[in-house]
Amino acid sequence: MSTPRLVPNPTKRRRNLTGGRRAGFGSYAFLALCLVIGFLPFYWSFLIGSGDSGTLRDPNRSWIPGANFLENVGEVINNPTVNFWAALRNSIIVSVTVAASVVFFSTLAGFAFAKLKFRGRGWLLTAVVATTAVPTQLGVVPLFIIMSELGWTGTIGAVIIPNLVTAFGVFWMTQYLGQVLPDELIESAQVDGANSFRTFWHIVLPSARPAAAMLGLFTFIATWTDFFWPSIVLDARNPTLPVSLRLLQANYFVDYSIVLAGALIATIPLLLLFVLAGKQLVSGIMQGAVKG
Amino acid sequence: MTTLRPSHRESPENHQASPPQPTRALSSRFARWDKKYSAYVYILPFFVLFALVGAIPLAYTAWVSLNDWSLIGGQGDFIGFDNYVAVLGERNFWIALRNTLSIFIIQVIPQLVIGLAIAAALDRNLRNGTLWRMGVLLPFIVMPVAVALIFNSLYGDQYGLINTTLQSLGLPTVGWHSDVLPSHIAIATMVDYRWTGYAALILLAGMQAIPRDYYEAATLDGAGSLRQFFSITIPQLRGTLIFVIVTATIGGLQIFDEPRLFDDQGLGGPDGQWLTLTLYLYKLGWNDLDFGRASAVAWLLFCLIAIIALINLFITTRIASSARRKRKGE
């Protein structure tokens, strides 16, 4: 009791200076268990992916990884039917383009909705929110017909175009800009003679950076992991990573070592991005939920 | 227009006291145009794109569904509601409907319960809070395809980790790929693996908006953690919970990736054990080449989503208003 910081009494434990309740051993143990469960599939895929073709079937396999990981990775990236390098390149192009475009157009529209006065603003914004209720997935049949009429099936344009701007992005940026950007800043820029696009470029875009980072990351991840539409509109000759992984499964269904090595390496780029920028994403998700 | 006029009358006179010179006139005309219309230009890309890839395809889907339409032959005869009749008469449609609802329910309940538990733990004052939050979100960045491949091997009927573990414990193994309910449980775990952390973070954000003095007052009144959780956290979290449930419903009813990848054929199992509605739609369109029937399924699915969303809304507003009445009565 003489050292209350080390041996807190039960009532003090629930309160501290910031008003939050301090976590007990139970919270840490529970969260640690969740992390272990979250991490286990990664380890399992590394375990099998680093063994030879018989590892999955071996009932006495150990929990220590084998030595074949690089060999299995080589098998994946050099396999002509899977087209790994093309898939990686396509995934990067598609995800970067879509993320950049969603951020740009959403910020632009968000600026208009949050800071410009125009007729019909209220119901147009309502219309944006209402469109989120329309599941675009259900339009796949005609969208596919349109794409094949245009001759775009099999090209990554067919994956990029439908995703260039999202209702979520517009709503998100409207909320954010409405809250952080003072009207006076916009007005003073206009008094100085800046037209609205210059105002957008020099004032709005820089101040949108935190929300734009989250929106960009989120869009990047969603695009990178997207499977349904790309699997319909792309084929083996020009896939994205998820499509190519699917081909790997269909071609190698007996050899899980290679399939899981492929699954793991296709995830690595996103893992790296997450380690570098995950903080932004986490705080962004939390911020959005409070306001939304 | 009416709201714009006053500011428009003012601004040219205010900013340009001197008589306008030709270039000035041009730039002030541009400024007026800019102020009046540029907002529409800025929001235009969204609406154009939505029309092209959202609204028009959905309406077009309705048209395709009323025709005999194949992937190869294109548009055939107008046949009215025959596609709907045919689809509704097919056993696979009802199997897919059952599977979709079953997987959704098996998936959504643990996602909410575990998500709430994780959020409650994260809501405590943790050391390295951001790191814990990132750790919880980690599964979210794994591709569904990769998740499916990994879980597919974990759930292998003969050599999967789960069955070999059961075997070594002397328990009977489970036919994850041959029986209906086990396959639904397996697919539900894949969905939950990816989404529980995300749901937890959204719920956590809602929790952090709850005023801390509620908890302090409750502590002074002698309420324990569990009591506080059910009497303060859950009621205060209603709005966020509704958001999470509605999002999970819309996503869950369209489930495709996980069932498609649950075996290497990708057609929902030899006997449709894990055939879902979106997978059925895909199968009709791109395997049987019947776009008319695929579109009919799309519209039926759309109606199902709308109905369930309305039921959701009805129930949650009832709960919300009854809770408000109760609070007022106290």
Side-chain angles (χ1 to χ4, degrees):
Chain A
M1 281 300 159
S2 55
T3 50
R5 290 197 60 204
L6 292 175
V7 192
N9 67 46
T11 45
K12 262 207 175 140
R13 177 179 266 198
R14 293 184 199 286
R15 283 182 288 157
N16 71 0
L17 293 173
T18 58
R21 294 162 299 159
R22 195 177 292 169
F25 173 76
S27 303
Y28 284 108
F30 174 64
L31 287 173
L33 179 70
C34 290
L35 292 204
V36 169
I37 293 172
F39 193 71
L40 188 68
F42 285 100
Y43 190 73
W44 168 259
S45 50
F46 183 61
L47 192 71
I48 305 298
S50 63
D52 55 34
S53 57
T55 312
L56 185 72
R57 287 152 191 269
D58 182 2
N60 300 317
R61 61 179 170 258
S62 77
W63 280 92
I64 298 158
N68 292 342
F69 186 67
L70 290 179
E71 196 184 308
N72 290 336
V73 168
E75 191 89 24
V76 174
I77 61 182
N78 295 321
N79 186 303
T81 55
V82 167
N83 236 333
F84 180 82
W85 291 113
L88 181 66
R89 190 199 59 214
N90 283 341
S91 276
I92 292 172
I93 295 173
V94 169
S95 303
V96 169
T97 315
V98 168
S101 155
V102 165
V103 166
F104 178 79
F105 285 118
S106 302
T107 314
L108 198 58
F111 166 50
F113 278 125
K115 294 294 162 189
L116 301 177
K117 294 187 182 70
F118 56 95
R119 222 175 124 188
R121 180 169 78 165
W123 71 263
L124 283 169
L125 186 59
T126 312
V128 170
V129 178
T131 62
T132 56
V134 180
T136 45
Q137 275 206 9
L138 299 186
V140 282
V141 170
L143 203 56
F144 183 82
I145 296 174
I146 295 169
M147 290 299 173
S148 54
E149 291 284 325
L150 293 171
W152 286 1
T153 44
T155 69
I156 55 171
V159 180
I160 293 175
I161 303 289
N163 294 311
L164 285 176
V165 52
T166 59
F168 169 76
V170 173
F171 184 66
W172 170 259
M173 293 316 290
T174 305
Q175 294 278 93
Y176 183 80
L177 291 173
Q179 270 166 15
V180 301
L181 203 58
D183 287 333
E184 295 78 29
L185 204 60
I186 308 285
E187 278 159 21
S188 71
Q190 275 162 354
V191 168
D192 287 348
N195 65 41
S196 68
F197 191 76
R198 280 190 61 171
T199 313
F200 169 74
W201 193 257
H202 292 289
I203 293 178
V204 179
L205 219 44
S207 33
R209 204 179 290 157
M214 142 71 189
L215 180 61
L217 273 171
F218 195 85
T219 312
F220 191 93
I221 292 174
T223 315
W224 188 275
T225 59
D226 190 21
F227 174 66
F228 183 55
W229 175 243
S231 79
I232 286 175
V233 86
L234 297 180
D235 54 35
R237 278 164 297 170
N238 197 28
T240 55
L241 276 176
V243 177
S244 140
L245 268 186
R246 162 76 191 151
L247 296 165
L248 192 66
Q249 185 200 20
N251 289 322
Y252 271 83
F253 62 95
V254 275
D255 195 345
Y256 261 97
S257 294
I258 291 171
V259 171
L260 291 184
L264 207 54
I265 54 169
T267 303
I268 287 174
L270 272 196
L271 270 176
L272 288 176
L273 186 72
F274 186 68
V275 169
L276 292 174
K279 240 180 185 174
Q280 287 272 9
L281 187 70
V282 168
S283 59
I285 288 174
M286 305 244 326
Q287 205 183 21
V290 174
K291 288 166 188 164
Chain B
M1 201 74 100
T2 41
T3 52
L4 283 174
R5 231 170 243 155
S7 64
H8 263 266
R9 281 205 189 120
E10 276 164 29
S11 58
E13 281 113 18
N14 283 351
H15 299 314
Q16 280 131 352
S18 56
Q21 292 149 351
T23 48
R24 265 279 172 91
L26 195 68
S27 74
S28 86
R29 200 139 45 122
F30 173 73
R32 211 175 317 148
W33 183 91
D34 182 37
K35 199 158 189 188
K36 213 168 178 178
Y37 298 112
S38 55
Y40 295 105
V41 178
Y42 298 163
I43 62 172
L44 195 63
F46 171 78
F47 286 101
V48 170
L49 197 73
F50 174 73
L52 289 179
V53 304
I56 294 174
L58 207 64
Y60 197 22
T61 305
W63 171 244
V64 175
S65 76
L66 299 175
N67 286 277
D68 191 9
W69 201 309
S70 84
L71 173 60
I72 296 167
Q75 188 175 4
D77 298 331
F78 180 86
I79 53 171
F81 286 96
D82 283 7
N83 282 324
Y84 291 87
V85 174
V87 164
L88 289 173
E90 255 219 66
R91 188 172 155 262
N92 269 346
F93 174 81
W94 298 102
I95 290 179
L97 180 63
R98 178 202 68 188
N99 292 351
T100 305
L101 294 174
S102 158
I103 293 172
F104 168 68
I105 290 168
I106 297 175
Q107 166 255 108
V108 79
I109 295 168
Q111 186 181 327
L112 280 178
V113 172
I114 301 171
L116 271 171
I118 294 175
L122 286 172
D123 193 34
R124 298 298 172 112
N125 218 336
L126 289 165
R127 221 167 290 160
N128 300 321
T130 315
L131 277 183
W132 287 106
R133 286 172 200 167
M134 280 175 69
V136 160
L137 193 64
L138 185 66
F140 183 64
I141 64 163
V142 189
M143 280 191 266
V145 182
V147 175
L149 295 178
I150 293 166
F151 276 74
N152 207 358
S153 69
L154 283 170
Y155 281 113
D157 285 2
Q158 288 178 52
Y159 312 108
L161 177 66
I162 295 171
N163 270 356
T164 46
T165 310
L166 287 175
Q167 225 162 14
S168 67
L169 293 173
L171 295 166
T173 59
V174 179
W176 300 107
H177 287 76
S178 56
D179 297 337
V180 174
L181 195 61
S183 73
H184 294 186
I185 294 172
I187 289 169
T189 39
M190 293 183 212
V191 178
D192 283 343
Y193 175 72
R194 247 190 116 228
W195 287 97
T196 305
Y198 179 80
L201 284 190
I202 291 179
L203 293 169
L204 171 63
M207 283 182 191
Q208 300 213 317
I210 302 171
R212 296 286 134 163
D213 23 330
Y214 288 13
Y215 293 106
E216 284 177 23
T219 309
L220 289 179
D221 286 350
S225 294
L226 218 57
R227 180 75 207 274
Q228 291 185 13
F229 181 76
F230 284 107
S231 302
I232 301 173
T233 311
I234 296 285
Q236 290 287 321
L237 213 55
R238 209 178 303 119
T240 317
L241 272 172
I242 292 172
F243 173 79
V244 172
I245 293 171
V246 170
T247 326
T249 309
I250 294 174
L253 294 178
Q254 297 184 67
I255 185 172
F256 175 81
D257 295 4
E258 291 84 358
R260 165 100 171 124
L261 297 154
F262 194 52
D263 68 2
D264 40 83
Q265 263 91 44
L267 296 172
D271 203 25
Q273 289 98 323
W274 61 90
L275 179 73
T276 62
L277 282 172
T278 317
L279 193 51
Y280 180 52
L281 184 164
Y282 175 83
K283 208 174 147 182
L284 282 176
W286 282 270
N287 273 50
D288 306 350
L289 313 180
D290 191 336
F291 272 10
R293 287 191 189 179
S295 296
V297 172
W299 262 96
L300 290 169
L301 183 54
F302 181 59
C303 295
L304 179 72
I305 290 174
I307 290 169
I308 293 188
L310 284 177
I311 294 174
N312 254 334
L313 202 69
F314 178 71
I315 294 175
T316 44
T317 46
R318 289 261 325 237
I319 293 172
S321 62
S322 78
R324 211 173 296 139
R325 246 178 284 132
K326 219 168 88 184
R327 227 179 357 186
K328 267 181 193 159
E330 274 171 8

